[in-house]
Amino acid sequence: MRTPILRACLALTALAGIRPAPARGQDLVLLHARVVDVERGTVLPEGVVVVRGGSIAQVGGTVPAGADLPTVDVGGMYLSPGLMDAHVHIATFDQARRALESGVTTVRSMGVDDYADVGLRELAAAGAIDAPEVLAAGYHIRPHPSEAFFRNHPEMGRFVSTEVRGAETLAAMARTMLGRGVDFIKLNATERAGLPDTDPRKQFYDASEMGAVVAEVRRAGARGVAAHAHGDEGARAAVEAGVTSIEHGTYMSPETLRLMAERGTYLVPTVAIVRDLTIPGGDYESPVLMLRGRHMLPRVQEMVATAHELGVPIVAATDTGYGPAGVVRVSHELEELVGIGLTPLEALQAATVTAARLLGVDDHTGQVRVGLDGDLILTERNPLEQIGTLNDVLMVVNNGKIVFTKGDWFKGSGPISD
């Protein structure tokens, strides 16, 4: 999908005589694919999936007459839509590549320095790099923004030695980031959990302050506001302010969850990264955080079970940067959700159709359906029966381009022969 920033860049490169990067869309035919319908929870019999120009042109049936397209026989394995990770911290090509190789074809960035996510978004959209589709948020809105924010925005330097507080100030910060082309605004309704000297229950902003950010996002026509919140008071204020999603939500009460269900506010619980707090290695390794994780994990599990019972829409995410030491993937989050009580179908939907609605990309991805992008993953077994099979993705297709394979089943691709 070509974003406004990408269109402007292409126009400038044309004026400068620079040849733009080729479009990402590719042609491909997959034979003997068992297609997983993540909306209905069914699997189609072995058939043909055709991708033309990066978009799905056919699902089922036989090879179209006269087709001369690259083809792969997947031998009856299971084809699902590419997964979505709705909360990442990706800033480099390597990180984006690791996400893609795990089966993630769409990500929502929830905080990086120097608008690296905006750059990745444009490079991926132009086809310059193999990476998931990126929805960018730039920086967090929080009382003490990162030093990099002020380097990018010296005009906001008056807040270096004070705090970002008050509705007008938060709105100004939102406008500043929206001016840099972000898709979402992320604000911290409470302190973080992944730092030893923080109190994740502590509320930062009230509903009027966060409501000012929501108003700016709506005025700009951006995709939404994601509120980081662990404590119940901060989360409830965020929901009352009209945010699109609550990230984490560890200590939310049933009352707050009922309000979310009534308003259609999405929950992005990131359970697997909380488990990561409790074990050595991974993204976190601190005695303080290990102790914190041990009491957070059962609380977030209980909260998600209640949210599921109340009908809150749940979306899968990792809250990781896909770094070389990271051990959390979306597949692990789906296993956590199934362990809490979601069915495998509901968990898979949390990383596909439900996530697509939250991210505002359901018009072009999230299902294996004619007219949508050719974002696909292949697994040996049926994820509707064994959700853990998503830990072992054997092929990733991004806009019709095969970007990753593993195993000895893959024999390459070439034109279809009669």
Side-chain angles (χ1 to χ4, degrees):
M1 302 299 290
R2 290 189 173 184
T3 67
I5 290 178
L6 175 60
R7 288 195 294 270
C9 291
L10 292 174
L12 289 172
T13 56
L15 288 172
I18 301 171
R19 186 182 182 90
R24 288 197 305 168
Q26 304 285 322
D27 296 336
L28 180 67
V29 174
L30 301 176
L31 304 177
H32 304 117
R34 292 176 175 170
V35 175
V36 178
D37 185 330
V38 295
E39 194 76 77
R40 297 178 177 84
T42 57
V43 176
L44 300 181
E46 290 186 27
V48 173
V49 174
V50 179
V51 180
R52 292 182 182 269
S55 297
I56 299 171
Q58 177 182 324
V59 178
T62 59
V63 177
D68 186 25
L69 304 175
T71 181
V72 176
D73 189 336
V74 302
M77 290 194 283
Y78 293 84
L79 194 71
S80 302
L83 303 177
M84 300 185 186
D85 190 337
H87 190 127
V88 303
H89 298 279
I90 290 177
T92 70
F93 293 179
D94 284 346
Q95 291 172 319
R97 180 72 193 188
R98 287 189 197 95
L100 193 61
E101 291 182 357
S102 74
V104 171
T105 56
T106 306
V107 298
R108 182 178 61 162
S109 167
M110 288 279 95
V112 294
D113 285 346
D114 300 315
Y115 295 101
D117 51 358
V118 174
L120 288 173
R121 181 188 69 196
E122 302 306 318
L123 289 166
I129 60 173
D130 286 331
E133 178 179 356
V134 178
L135 287 302
Y139 293 90
H140 305 190
I141 294 180
R142 59 191 186 200
H144 295 284
S146 75
E147 178 183 315
F149 173 80
F150 294 111
R151 293 198 305 266
N152 291 147
H153 296 288
E155 72 276 14
M156 300 291 283
R158 63 191 182 277
F159 297 109
V160 170
S161 57
T162 182
E163 289 190 341
V164 174
R165 296 282 186 184
E168 292 184 8
T169 302
L170 267 66
M173 192 168 177
R175 286 194 299 273
T176 297
M177 292 193 290
L178 290 165
R180 293 293 292 267
V182 301
D183 302 291
F184 280 84
I185 292 291
K186 180 186 176 183
L187 59 82
N188 286 26
T190 71
E191 282 196 352
R192 294 170 61 186
L195 297 174
D197 58 350
T198 57
D199 177 359
R201 285 188 174 90
K202 183 178 179 181
Q203 183 175 351
F204 275 154
Y205 297 123
D206 62 26
S208 64
E209 291 173 304
M210 290 187 278
V213 174
V214 171
E216 288 296 332
V217 167
R218 289 175 177 169
R219 190 175 295 114
R223 294 177 186 264
V225 177
H228 162 106
H230 287 282
D232 186 54
E233 292 80 2
R236 185 174 182 86
V239 176
E240 291 172 345
V243 302
T244 314
S245 64
I246 296 292
E247 313 296 303
H248 318 305
T250 306
Y251 302 105
M252 285 196 297
S253 66
E255 291 73 25
T256 298
L257 292 169
R258 288 191 190 94
L259 184 62
M260 291 178 67
E262 291 170 6
R263 297 194 173 197
T265 309
Y266 290 84
L267 171 64
V268 186
T270 64
V271 182
I273 202 70
V274 178
R275 185 177 296 280
D276 187 40
L277 287 177
T278 70
I279 57 178
D283 287 350
Y284 302 94
E285 189 164 11
S286 159
V288 173
L289 295 181
M290 289 181 72
L291 290 170
R292 179 180 292 171
R294 287 177 182 176
H295 73 75
M296 285 182 66
L297 184 57
R299 288 297 298 270
V300 73
Q301 290 170 330
E302 176 185 308
M303 182 276 298
V304 173
T306 303
H308 179 231
E309 181 181 341
L310 293 173
V312 176
I314 296 171
V315 171
T318 61
D319 194 17
T320 187
Y322 287 89
V327 296
V328 175
R329 298 292 184 265
V330 167
S331 56
H332 305 143
E333 182 73 1
L334 302 189
E335 287 182 311
E336 294 284 354
L337 295 177
V338 170
I340 288 168
L342 276 70
T343 66
L345 172 61
E346 290 170 330
L348 186 54
Q349 289 172 335
T352 54
V353 288
T354 308
R357 287 191 284 269
L358 164 62
L359 302 184
V361 297
D362 53 321
D363 63 334
H364 65 268
T365 192
Q367 298 185 60
V368 185
R369 195 179 76 196
V370 172
L372 301 189
D373 290 352
D375 298 334
L376 309 164
I377 60 172
L378 191 71
T379 55
E380 181 181 6
R381 298 180 180 182
N382 182 359
L384 299 179
E385 296 176 351
Q386 300 180 41
I387 198 68
T389 194
L390 295 170
N391 290 317
D392 187 29
V393 173
L394 301 181
M395 182 173 72
V396 180
V397 179
N398 197 27
N399 281 81
K401 179 182 179 181
I402 298 173
V403 294
F404 175 75
T405 64
K406 68 178 179 181
D408 59 5
W409 66 274
F410 185 78
K411 307 303 180 185
S413 62
I416 297 173
S417 59
D418 293 332

